[in-house]
Structure formats: C-alpha cells, structure tokens
Amino acid sequence: MAAPPRKRIAVLGSLNMDLVPYVPHHPLPGETLTSSRFGTAPGGKGANQAAAVGRLSRSPDALADGDVDVAMLGAVGSDPYADVLRSSLASCGVATDGLRVLDGQRTGIAIIIVDEPSGQNRIILSPEANHALVPADFAALPDPRPDLLIMQLEIRLDTVLQALAAAKAASVPVLLNPAPAQTLPLDAYVGLAHLILNETEAAILAGCPESDLDDEPGLQRVASLFLERGVANVVVTLGGRGVYYATKAGKSALVPAHKVDVVETTAAGDTFVGSYALAAVHASPDDFDIDGAVKAANRAAAITVSRRGSQLSIPWKDELE
Ligand code: ADP
C-alpha cells in the first residue's frame, strides 16, 4: 500500500538579515561607539519558525526525508542578503520556491545592538521587502494547499488578515504567533486553531497589565478571554517559567520550563512554535494531544536557549532524544 502523502506546513512571514554589533553600553545621543565584535545571522520570525519546523522534523544528512514538508512564503530583495537567507532555509530542509524576489528592493534587516555587560538588546527593524507582500497576493492560499498555515506579525497586518480569511475559506487551520503584538480585529480570533503568544503579547492583546499573568488564576482568566473570542487552543509562553495552555475543550495546565544553563534565548519562541506545529499538523481537531505538544515544544525550546545563535541554534530531530 502506498504511504500517505506527507503533511505540509506553510509559514507566511518575515525574513531578515540580523546585523548584530556588541557594544560596552548603548550609544548616547550623538555618541559614536566602537563595537567589540560584530555578527550577522539569518533571522526574521517567519524564517526562524520555518527553519524550526525543518530542523525539528529531519536530520541534517537527509534533508529530503523530513516528517513533514515545510515551505516558506515571503519576500526578499535582490541583494546578497537574499541569497544568504534562502540558502540558510534550504540547509534546514525548507522549500524556498514560494519566496518572491523583488527586483531593486532590499531584503529585510534587523539591527540588534547588544549591550555586552547586561546582555540587553535594542532592536531596529527595517522591513523592506517584507512589507511588499500585499493582501491581493493572498486572495487565495498558494498551491499546494498546506495542512497548517503559520503566521506572525512581522509582515503587513492587512496581508496577515487576508491570508487568515483565505485559510478559513479553504478550511486550512492556522497557527498565529501575534509577534510583535498589535491589536487585532476581533473577527481574526474566530475559528483560529492555535494562538501562541508570550507574556507581553498576551497582556497587550488582552488589554491587561503583564502582572495579571503572574499566577495561574490570572493566566486562566487571560486565556479564557481568547477562548471566548473564538480560539480553539491558547498557549502562553512564559520564558523561564514555562508555558500555560488552555483549550475550548476544557483542558488547561501550567507546564514548568526545563532547568538549563541559559546561553542565549533568541529563537526560543520560534523553536517552541515549530515543535508545537509538528504535533498539531498530525492531529485532527478532536484528538489533538495539546499536553504532549506543549511538553515536546518546551523541551525543544530549552535546547535552543542552552546554545549560542538564533536560527542555527535550533535542534535537529535526532538531538531531541
Ligand atoms: P519569546 O522568545 O517568544 O519571548 P519565551 O521567552 O516565552 O518566548 O520563551 C519561549 C519558550 O522557550 C518558553 O515557553 C520555554 O519553553 C523556553 N524557554 C525560554 N526561556 C527559557 C529558560 N530560561 N529556561 C528554559 N526554557 C526556556
């Protein structure tokens, strides 16, 4: 008997080149600073989440043999950064033929200034080609139709909302990671299969102070609000505290984070989303084991925070055991 076709995940979102100067302190107005070192890395929440799905579902020496097919939908410019980002995704097993290359435009850039003594970041995002994706591009979802569509909010909000509507019309479940947080129209939540957000995003979207998420009853109240708006599965990631989830079917739990030596937390949330998506795409809405999905994602993200780097610190499938 022929094997069933592999499930397909599409990620619609941003691709950025991260430019990272490390400085002794953040520059003051008018000050010129010399960085102690400088790094570049492929990034963008969209690309990182596609890379996470790719790496967590396959081995680096058998890229074509992943547990799922994963495709990146997005836009890059016609500069050398575009090639770096495309080949980084390809090296993670992600299909890049859905990437639009925009002549005469620049690829998205994130300038991440790291204050070395404190480790604190200040980030300047320049969306460039990412913002050239317009709603008319997603009047319908591109073929082949995915079994799960993942989106974030680093591309234009009107484009995300149009893709949500197109997914709904095609009965394709959506996992939305509303980062960076922006207020969404209430009908965006209706029928949303998965909402994964961190504490800051949850507080902004719920319209409450972050301190409301300090204890389990508070988390339960905030998650209920998203369930009432029409989301089926709500997952709030809590950094070193772990994760809280609640579902419209009535399941909920606070899952503590794994204890690890934290080296760099970049891409932790993206790893979490990628791992959770792999569990979600294989389940039907009625038999989704959200507890198993959250625990696996919590474990995968803990590996990412124990390593230096962003996209390329995400573990491969065989590193998860
Ligand atoms: P984001 O990076 O989107 O802000 P979080 O900081 O909430 O997201 O982290 C996402 C997930 O990564 C957490 O839910 C947890 O599973 C894992 N994680 C983050 N920080 C730590 C940590 N210090 N120790 C262990 N796991 C962590």
Side-chain angles (χ1 to χ4, degrees):
M1 212 169 64
R6 266 196 297 203
K7 297 280 186 181
R8 185 182 298 278
I9 294 179
V11 182
L12 167 57
S14 59
L15 299 98
N16 292 324
M17 194 69 200
D18 291 349
L19 308 179
V20 195
Y22 293 81
V23 292
H25 60 85
H26 285 296
L28 302 169
E31 181 179 16
T32 299
L33 264 183
T34 302
S35 67
S36 51
R37 57 196 171 96
F38 181 82
T40 59
K45 284 183 194 295
N48 286 354
Q49 291 176 15
V53 172
R55 292 167 75 97
L56 293 163
S57 62
R58 53 189 27 81
S59 137
D61 45 22
L63 291 179
D65 296 336
D67 298 337
V68 296
D69 287 331
V70 50
M72 179 78 210
L73 307 175
V76 290
S78 54
D79 52 14
Y81 290 152
D83 302 329
V84 176
L85 293 175
R86 193 185 301 102
S87 61
S88 179
L89 283 176
S91 78
C92 298
V94 178
T96 58
D97 42 345
L99 281 184
R100 204 159 304 163
V101 181
L102 302 170
D103 244 2
Q105 298 216 30
R106 284 181 214 275
T107 300
I109 284 176
I111 300 169
I112 305 174
I113 306 171
V114 184
D115 172 37
E116 277 208 295
S118 70
Q120 271 192 343
N121 291 336
R122 288 189 187 179
I123 301 179
I124 301 165
L125 265 186
S126 202
E128 308 293 338
N130 291 307
H131 270 195
L133 293 176
V134 293
D137 296 331
F138 295 93
L141 290 188
D143 280 331
R145 183 192 286 191
D147 298 292
L148 178 71
L149 175 67
I150 305 179
M151 292 190 284
Q152 321 73 29
L153 301 181
E154 278 186 353
I155 61 170
R156 286 171 47 153
L157 181 58
D158 55 357
T159 303
V160 171
L161 296 176
Q162 173 55 45
L164 254 180
K168 229 176 253 184
S171 303
V172 170
V174 172
L175 185 168
L176 181 66
N177 172 225
Q182 310 177 42
T183 309
L184 299 172
L186 286 178
D187 62 359
Y189 296 97
V190 178
L192 187 62
H194 309 280
L195 180 71
I196 302 186
L197 64 190
N198 70 14
E199 287 169 279
T200 310
E201 292 144 10
I204 292 173
L205 268 55
C208 67
E210 241 177 86
S211 56
D212 280 16
L213 300 159
D214 283 351
D215 56 22
E216 204 165 335
L219 285 162
Q220 203 171 3
R221 271 195 305 278
V222 168
S224 301
L225 193 134
F226 294 119
L227 295 175
E228 282 156 21
R229 289 180 188 172
V231 180
N233 299 289
V234 177
V235 179
V236 186
T237 64
L238 304 165
R241 287 165 62 207
V243 200
Y244 180 80
Y245 70 80
T247 75
K248 78 170 181 196
K251 295 184 217 169
S252 68
L254 179 60
V255 178
H258 285 260
K259 290 204 183 345
V260 288
D261 290 330
V262 178
V263 175
E264 188 177 326
T265 58
T266 320
D270 298 329
T271 305
F272 188 96
V273 166
S275 174
Y276 178 100
L278 282 168
V281 78
H282 284 111
S284 74
D286 302 327
D287 70 3
F288 177 42
D289 172 16
I290 189 170
D291 195 67
V294 163
K295 285 178 177 158
N298 197 32
R299 204 160 46 239
I303 298 176
T304 297
V305 303
S306 68
R307 301 170 171 186
R308 191 168 294 287
S310 50
Q311 207 173 87
L312 303 178
S313 69
I314 300 167
W316 294 98
K317 183 181 177 185
D318 42 16
E319 294 176 290
L320 295 172
E321 274 101 45

